Amino acid sequence: MTLLDHVPSEAQLRRSAYRRRQTVYSVLVAASSTAALGTLLVIAVTGAPGWDRVRRSFLDPEIARDALPTVLSGLWLNVRLLVCCAVGALLLGLVIAVLRTLRGPVFFPVRALAAGYTYTFRGLPLIIVLYLLTLGVPGLRLQGMPPVLVLGGIALVLTYGGYLAEVFRAGIESVHSSQLAAARSLGLTYRQTMRHVVLPQAVRRVAPPLLNDVVALQKDVGLVSLAGPIDAVRAAQIATAQTFNYTPYVVAGVLFVLLAIPLIAVTDWVTLRAARRQSGG
């Protein structure tokens, strides 16, 4: 009898049927509990004494429809800023992580500077960095001063570069030293060892936390509106000042959530894949 002629036994068929029933049962229980909880939340919120006032101030459909085009136009600025800042922060974090892992006493000043950078920008609140770069630096009146939007992007890159540098460093140090010794014994230089042996493994191992930081950056790009650029948050603020209604802020929040969903889904998929790889599944 070949593998193609294999017929599952009666016990296997019973187990498969039982698993299917359990799956259906689990889905029904999850859907029922979710519906029950959602119903309770809706009743609790809509039954509150001040619900009508909150609904008029935050959930006005006409104001939301009027504010959507301008907020959506501002969101395009957030998307472009996110892409540029994410690439810049990843590259900066990788460089700082490599500098912090250099060995030898001659590289101590480099390691000290890299460590000082990570300590400083991981400790500074992002909003303070934004104010210093977007309000303080232009006051120097230097020639060739970049626009405020670029300065705000630099503040985001510097801040998140500190976080990402520690993530990259953790990945680099997780690679066993025997792999470095084996690569050097094969004649690879330190640069070739880092490029072909260490960094590919390090980046793969820390991909989930890297993507989590990118998701956090996606939210914080909205803080650049504090410096004046008209992004989604600033557009919502202008619309709110015109209508004395906070619905545009809710519109901006919903758009940010929709923007984050693909990133979160990719992060969850990469995390699950990494867990399966580690467990050998």
Side-chain angles (χ1 to χ4, degrees), residues 197-246:
V197 178
V198 178
L199 290 182
Q201 297 183 68
V203 173
R204 184 168 61 248
R205 292 179 181 181
V206 299
L210 287 177
L211 290 173
N212 279 327
D213 285 336
V214 173
V215 172
L217 176 61
Q218 180 264 328
K219 297 182 300 181
D220 285 342
V221 293
L223 292 176
V224 77
S225 63
L226 296 173
I230 303 179
D231 67 335
V233 178
R234 177 66 71 179
Q237 182 183 25
I238 294 173
T240 298
Q242 293 174 343
T243 61
F244 301 100
N245 190 286
Y246 293 98

Short mmCIF file of all heavy atoms in Angstrom, two decimals, residues 197-246:
data_model
loop_
_atom_site.label_atom_id
_atom_site.label_comp_id
_atom_site.label_asym_id
_atom_site.label_seq_id
_atom_site.Cartn_x
_atom_site.Cartn_y
_atom_site.Cartn_z
N VAL A 197 27.17 37.66 8.53
CA VAL A 197 26.89 36.65 9.55
C VAL A 197 26.02 37.21 10.68
O VAL A 197 24.97 36.65 11.01
CB VAL A 197 28.21 36.08 10.13
CG1 VAL A 197 27.91 35.06 11.23
CG2 VAL A 197 29.04 35.46 9.03
N VAL A 198 26.47 38.32 11.27
CA VAL A 198 25.82 38.81 12.49
C VAL A 198 24.53 39.58 12.20
O VAL A 198 23.46 39.26 12.73
CB VAL A 198 26.81 39.69 13.28
CG1 VAL A 198 26.13 40.25 14.53
CG2 VAL A 198 28.03 38.88 13.68
N LEU A 199 24.62 40.60 11.36
CA LEU A 199 23.46 41.47 11.16
C LEU A 199 22.25 40.75 10.56
O LEU A 199 21.12 41.03 10.98
CB LEU A 199 23.85 42.66 10.28
CG LEU A 199 24.78 43.69 10.95
CD1 LEU A 199 25.08 44.84 10.01
CD2 LEU A 199 24.16 44.20 12.23
N PRO A 200 22.40 39.85 9.58
CA PRO A 200 21.20 39.14 9.09
C PRO A 200 20.45 38.39 10.20
O PRO A 200 19.22 38.42 10.26
CB PRO A 200 21.77 38.19 8.02
CG PRO A 200 23.01 38.85 7.55
CD PRO A 200 23.59 39.51 8.76
N GLN A 201 21.21 37.72 11.06
CA GLN A 201 20.55 37.01 12.16
C GLN A 201 19.96 37.98 13.18
O GLN A 201 18.86 37.75 13.70
CB GLN A 201 21.57 36.10 12.86
CG GLN A 201 22.13 35.00 11.97
CD GLN A 201 23.07 34.09 12.73
OE1 GLN A 201 22.65 33.35 13.61
NE2 GLN A 201 24.35 34.16 12.40
N ALA A 202 20.70 39.04 13.48
CA ALA A 202 20.23 39.99 14.49
C ALA A 202 18.93 40.67 14.05
O ALA A 202 17.98 40.78 14.84
CB ALA A 202 21.31 41.04 14.75
N VAL A 203 18.88 41.12 12.80
CA VAL A 203 17.68 41.80 12.32
C VAL A 203 16.49 40.85 12.30
O VAL A 203 15.37 41.23 12.67
CB VAL A 203 17.94 42.39 10.92
CG1 VAL A 203 16.66 42.95 10.33
CG2 VAL A 203 19.01 43.48 10.99
N ARG A 204 16.71 39.62 11.91
CA ARG A 204 15.61 38.65 11.88
C ARG A 204 15.07 38.37 13.29
O ARG A 204 13.87 38.23 13.49
CB ARG A 204 16.08 37.36 11.23
CG ARG A 204 14.97 36.33 11.05
CD ARG A 204 15.40 35.20 10.15
NE ARG A 204 16.55 34.48 10.68
CZ ARG A 204 17.75 34.50 10.13
NH1 ARG A 204 17.97 35.23 9.04
NH2 ARG A 204 18.76 33.82 10.65
N ARG A 205 15.96 38.33 14.27
CA ARG A 205 15.53 38.03 15.62
C ARG A 205 14.76 39.18 16.28
O ARG A 205 13.88 38.93 17.10
CB ARG A 205 16.75 37.67 16.48
CG ARG A 205 17.40 36.36 16.09
CD ARG A 205 18.62 36.06 16.95
NE ARG A 205 19.26 34.81 16.56
CZ ARG A 205 20.33 34.29 17.16
NH1 ARG A 205 20.87 34.93 18.19
NH2 ARG A 205 20.85 33.15 16.73
N VAL A 206 15.11 40.39 15.94
CA VAL A 206 14.47 41.54 16.59
C VAL A 206 13.46 42.21 15.69
O VAL A 206 13.05 43.35 15.97
CB VAL A 206 15.54 42.56 17.05
CG1 VAL A 206 16.48 41.93 18.06
CG2 VAL A 206 16.31 43.11 15.85
N ALA A 207 13.03 41.56 14.63
CA ALA A 207 12.04 42.16 13.73
C ALA A 207 10.74 42.54 14.43
O ALA A 207 10.22 43.65 14.21
CB ALA A 207 11.77 41.23 12.55
N PRO A 208 10.18 41.69 15.31
CA PRO A 208 8.93 42.09 15.99
C PRO A 208 9.05 43.36 16.82
O PRO A 208 8.23 44.28 16.66
CB PRO A 208 8.59 40.85 16.84
CG PRO A 208 9.22 39.71 16.13
CD PRO A 208 10.49 40.27 15.57
N PRO A 209 10.05 43.49 17.71
CA PRO A 209 10.13 44.76 18.46
C PRO A 209 10.45 45.96 17.57
O PRO A 209 10.02 47.08 17.86
CB PRO A 209 11.26 44.51 19.47
CG PRO A 209 12.01 43.35 18.96
CD PRO A 209 11.02 42.51 18.23
N LEU A 210 11.17 45.75 16.47
CA LEU A 210 11.41 46.86 15.55
C LEU A 210 10.10 47.37 14.96
O LEU A 210 9.86 48.58 14.88
CB LEU A 210 12.37 46.42 14.44
CG LEU A 210 13.84 46.22 14.80
CD1 LEU A 210 14.61 45.71 13.59
CD2 LEU A 210 14.46 47.52 15.30
N LEU A 211 9.26 46.44 14.54
CA LEU A 211 7.97 46.83 13.96
C LEU A 211 7.07 47.47 15.01
O LEU A 211 6.28 48.37 14.68
CB LEU A 211 7.30 45.60 13.35
CG LEU A 211 7.96 45.06 12.08
CD1 LEU A 211 7.31 43.75 11.65
CD2 LEU A 211 7.88 46.07 10.95
N ASN A 212 7.17 47.02 16.26
CA ASN A 212 6.39 47.67 17.32
C ASN A 212 6.79 49.13 17.49
O ASN A 212 5.93 50.01 17.70
CB ASN A 212 6.58 46.92 18.64
CG ASN A 212 5.71 45.69 18.73
OD1 ASN A 212 4.60 45.66 18.21
ND2 ASN A 212 6.20 44.65 19.38
N ASP A 213 8.08 49.40 17.41
CA ASP A 213 8.53 50.79 17.51
C ASP A 213 8.07 51.61 16.30
O ASP A 213 7.77 52.81 16.44
CB ASP A 213 10.05 50.85 17.62
CG ASP A 213 10.54 50.44 19.00
OD1 ASP A 213 9.77 50.57 19.96
OD2 ASP A 213 11.70 49.99 19.12
N VAL A 214 7.99 51.00 15.14
CA VAL A 214 7.48 51.71 13.96
C VAL A 214 6.00 52.04 14.15
O VAL A 214 5.54 53.13 13.77
CB VAL A 214 7.71 50.87 12.69
CG1 VAL A 214 7.03 51.53 11.48
CG2 VAL A 214 9.19 50.71 12.41
N VAL A 215 5.25 51.14 14.76
CA VAL A 215 3.83 51.42 15.05
C VAL A 215 3.71 52.59 16.03
O VAL A 215 2.86 53.47 15.87
CB VAL A 215 3.15 50.16 15.62
CG1 VAL A 215 1.74 50.48 16.11
CG2 VAL A 215 3.08 49.07 14.56
N ALA A 216 4.58 52.61 17.04
CA ALA A 216 4.57 53.75 17.97
C ALA A 216 4.94 55.04 17.27
O ALA A 216 4.37 56.10 17.55
CB ALA A 216 5.53 53.46 19.13
N LEU A 217 5.89 54.98 16.35
CA LEU A 217 6.28 56.16 15.59
C LEU A 217 5.13 56.66 14.74
O LEU A 217 4.96 57.88 14.55
CB LEU A 217 7.49 55.83 14.71
CG LEU A 217 7.98 56.92 13.75
CD1 LEU A 217 8.42 58.16 14.53
CD2 LEU A 217 9.13 56.41 12.89
N GLN A 218 4.32 55.74 14.23
CA GLN A 218 3.18 56.13 13.40
C GLN A 218 2.23 57.05 14.18
O GLN A 218 1.63 57.96 13.60
CB GLN A 218 2.46 54.88 12.92
CG GLN A 218 1.25 55.13 12.04
CD GLN A 218 -0.05 55.12 12.83
OE1 GLN A 218 -0.16 54.39 13.82
NE2 GLN A 218 -1.00 55.93 12.43
N LYS A 219 2.09 56.82 15.47
CA LYS A 219 1.24 57.69 16.29
C LYS A 219 1.92 59.02 16.59
O LYS A 219 1.28 60.08 16.56
CB LYS A 219 0.88 56.99 17.60
CG LYS A 219 0.06 55.72 17.43
CD LYS A 219 -0.30 55.13 18.77
CE LYS A 219 0.94 54.77 19.57
NZ LYS A 219 0.60 54.17 20.88
N ASP A 220 3.22 58.95 16.90
CA ASP A 220 3.90 60.15 17.36
C ASP A 220 4.19 61.15 16.25
O ASP A 220 4.55 62.29 16.54
CB ASP A 220 5.22 59.76 18.04
CG ASP A 220 4.99 59.17 19.42
OD1 ASP A 220 3.88 59.36 19.97
OD2 ASP A 220 5.90 58.51 19.95
N VAL A 221 4.07 60.74 14.99
CA VAL A 221 4.26 61.74 13.92
C VAL A 221 3.21 62.84 14.01
O VAL A 221 3.42 63.94 13.49
CB VAL A 221 4.24 61.08 12.52
CG1 VAL A 221 5.43 60.17 12.31
CG2 VAL A 221 2.94 60.31 12.30
N GLY A 222 2.09 62.56 14.68
CA GLY A 222 1.07 63.59 14.85
C GLY A 222 1.52 64.73 15.75
O GLY A 222 0.94 65.82 15.69
N LEU A 223 2.56 64.50 16.57
CA LEU A 223 3.05 65.56 17.44
C LEU A 223 3.75 66.67 16.68
O LEU A 223 3.97 67.75 17.23
CB LEU A 223 4.00 64.97 18.48
CG LEU A 223 3.37 64.04 19.52
CD1 LEU A 223 4.44 63.46 20.43
CD2 LEU A 223 2.32 64.78 20.35
N VAL A 224 4.11 66.41 15.43
CA VAL A 224 4.78 67.45 14.65
C VAL A 224 3.85 68.64 14.43
O VAL A 224 4.31 69.74 14.10
CB VAL A 224 5.28 66.87 13.32
CG1 VAL A 224 4.13 66.71 12.32
CG2 VAL A 224 6.37 67.72 12.72
N SER A 225 2.55 68.45 14.63
CA SER A 225 1.61 69.56 14.47
C SER A 225 1.85 70.64 15.51
O SER A 225 1.43 71.79 15.31
CB SER A 225 0.18 69.03 14.60
OG SER A 225 -0.05 68.49 15.90
N LEU A 226 2.52 70.32 16.60
CA LEU A 226 2.83 71.33 17.61
C LEU A 226 3.72 72.43 17.07
O LEU A 226 3.74 73.54 17.59
CB LEU A 226 3.50 70.67 18.83
CG LEU A 226 2.65 69.65 19.60
CD1 LEU A 226 3.50 68.96 20.66
CD2 LEU A 226 1.45 70.34 20.25
N ALA A 227 4.49 72.10 16.04
CA ALA A 227 5.40 73.08 15.44
C ALA A 227 4.75 73.90 14.34
O ALA A 227 5.38 74.83 13.83
CB ALA A 227 6.64 72.37 14.89
N GLY A 228 3.54 73.55 13.93
CA GLY A 228 2.84 74.35 12.94
C GLY A 228 2.45 73.68 11.65
O GLY A 228 1.49 74.13 11.00
N PRO A 229 3.15 72.64 11.16
CA PRO A 229 2.75 72.02 9.90
C PRO A 229 1.31 71.50 9.97
O PRO A 229 0.87 70.98 11.00
CB PRO A 229 3.74 70.86 9.73
CG PRO A 229 4.93 71.27 10.51
CD PRO A 229 4.40 72.04 11.68
N ILE A 230 0.59 71.65 8.87
CA ILE A 230 -0.82 71.25 8.85
C ILE A 230 -0.91 69.77 8.47
O ILE A 230 -1.00 69.42 7.30
CB ILE A 230 -1.62 72.12 7.88
CG1 ILE A 230 -1.48 73.60 8.27
CG2 ILE A 230 -3.09 71.71 7.89
CD1 ILE A 230 -2.22 74.55 7.36
N ASP A 231 -0.84 68.93 9.48
CA ASP A 231 -1.06 67.51 9.28
C ASP A 231 -2.49 67.19 9.68
O ASP A 231 -3.34 68.08 9.77
CB ASP A 231 -0.05 66.69 10.08
CG ASP A 231 -0.26 66.83 11.57
OD1 ASP A 231 -0.83 67.87 12.01
OD2 ASP A 231 0.11 65.91 12.32
N ALA A 232 -2.79 65.92 9.91
CA ALA A 232 -4.16 65.54 10.25
C ALA A 232 -4.60 66.16 11.58
O ALA A 232 -5.74 66.63 11.72
CB ALA A 232 -4.27 64.02 10.31
N VAL A 233 -3.71 66.17 12.56
CA VAL A 233 -4.07 66.71 13.87
C VAL A 233 -4.28 68.22 13.79
O VAL A 233 -5.24 68.76 14.35
CB VAL A 233 -2.98 66.36 14.90
CG1 VAL A 233 -3.33 66.95 16.27
CG2 VAL A 233 -2.82 64.84 15.02
N ARG A 234 -3.39 68.92 13.09
CA ARG A 234 -3.54 70.37 12.96
C ARG A 234 -4.78 70.72 12.16
O ARG A 234 -5.49 71.68 12.49
CB ARG A 234 -2.30 70.96 12.30
CG ARG A 234 -2.37 72.46 12.04
CD ARG A 234 -2.42 73.25 13.33
NE ARG A 234 -1.14 73.21 14.01
CZ ARG A 234 -0.88 73.84 15.16
NH1 ARG A 234 -1.85 74.53 15.75
NH2 ARG A 234 0.31 73.77 15.73
N ALA A 235 -5.07 69.96 11.11
CA ALA A 235 -6.29 70.20 10.34
C ALA A 235 -7.52 69.99 11.20
O ALA A 235 -8.50 70.75 11.11
CB ALA A 235 -6.32 69.27 9.12
N ALA A 236 -7.49 68.97 12.06
CA ALA A 236 -8.62 68.75 12.97
C ALA A 236 -8.74 69.90 13.97
O ALA A 236 -9.85 70.33 14.31
CB ALA A 236 -8.43 67.43 13.70
N GLN A 237 -7.61 70.43 14.42
CA GLN A 237 -7.65 71.55 15.35
C GLN A 237 -8.25 72.80 14.70
O GLN A 237 -9.04 73.52 15.33
CB GLN A 237 -6.24 71.84 15.85
CG GLN A 237 -6.17 72.97 16.88
CD GLN A 237 -4.75 73.29 17.29
OE1 GLN A 237 -3.81 73.03 16.53
NE2 GLN A 237 -4.58 73.86 18.47
N ILE A 238 -7.88 73.05 13.45
CA ILE A 238 -8.43 74.21 12.74
C ILE A 238 -9.93 74.05 12.55
O ILE A 238 -10.71 75.00 12.76
CB ILE A 238 -7.72 74.36 11.39
CG1 ILE A 238 -6.24 74.72 11.60
CG2 ILE A 238 -8.41 75.44 10.54
CD1 ILE A 238 -5.43 74.75 10.33
N ALA A 239 -10.36 72.84 12.15
CA ALA A 239 -11.80 72.60 11.97
C ALA A 239 -12.54 72.73 13.31
O ALA A 239 -13.68 73.23 13.34
CB ALA A 239 -12.02 71.22 11.37
N THR A 240 -11.94 72.29 14.39
CA THR A 240 -12.57 72.41 15.70
C THR A 240 -12.71 73.88 16.11
O THR A 240 -13.73 74.28 16.67
CB THR A 240 -11.74 71.65 16.75
OG1 THR A 240 -11.71 70.26 16.42
CG2 THR A 240 -12.33 71.83 18.15
N ALA A 241 -11.70 74.68 15.81
CA ALA A 241 -11.78 76.10 16.14
C ALA A 241 -12.85 76.81 15.33
O ALA A 241 -13.43 77.81 15.79
CB ALA A 241 -10.42 76.77 15.89
N GLN A 242 -13.15 76.31 14.14
CA GLN A 242 -14.17 76.93 13.29
C GLN A 242 -15.58 76.54 13.71
O GLN A 242 -16.52 77.34 13.55
CB GLN A 242 -13.94 76.54 11.83
CG GLN A 242 -12.65 77.12 11.25
CD GLN A 242 -12.37 76.59 9.85
OE1 GLN A 242 -12.95 75.58 9.44
NE2 GLN A 242 -11.46 77.26 9.14
N THR A 243 -15.75 75.33 14.22
CA THR A 243 -17.10 74.83 14.54
C THR A 243 -17.36 74.71 16.03
O THR A 243 -18.51 74.46 16.42
CB THR A 243 -17.28 73.43 13.91
OG1 THR A 243 -16.29 72.53 14.46
CG2 THR A 243 -17.10 73.49 12.40
N PHE A 244 -16.32 74.88 16.86
CA PHE A 244 -16.44 74.67 18.30
C PHE A 244 -17.01 73.29 18.61
O PHE A 244 -17.82 73.12 19.52
CB PHE A 244 -17.31 75.76 18.93
CG PHE A 244 -16.78 77.15 18.73
CD1 PHE A 244 -17.30 77.96 17.73
CD2 PHE A 244 -15.74 77.64 19.51
CE1 PHE A 244 -16.80 79.24 17.53
CE2 PHE A 244 -15.24 78.91 19.31
CZ PHE A 244 -15.77 79.72 18.32
N ASN A 245 -16.55 72.32 17.83
CA ASN A 245 -16.99 70.94 17.99
C ASN A 245 -15.76 70.04 17.84
O ASN A 245 -14.90 70.29 16.99
CB ASN A 245 -18.05 70.59 16.94
CG ASN A 245 -18.70 69.25 17.21
OD1 ASN A 245 -18.10 68.21 17.00
ND2 ASN A 245 -19.94 69.29 17.67
N TYR A 246 -15.69 68.99 18.67
CA TYR A 246 -14.50 68.15 18.70
C TYR A 246 -14.59 66.94 17.78
O TYR A 246 -13.72 66.08 17.82
CB TYR A 246 -14.26 67.66 20.14
CG TYR A 246 -13.90 68.77 21.09
CD1 TYR A 246 -14.86 69.34 21.91
CD2 TYR A 246 -12.60 69.25 21.15
CE1 TYR A 246 -14.53 70.37 22.78
CE2 TYR A 246 -12.25 70.28 22.02
CZ TYR A 246 -13.23 70.83 22.83
OH TYR A 246 -12.91 71.85 23.68
#
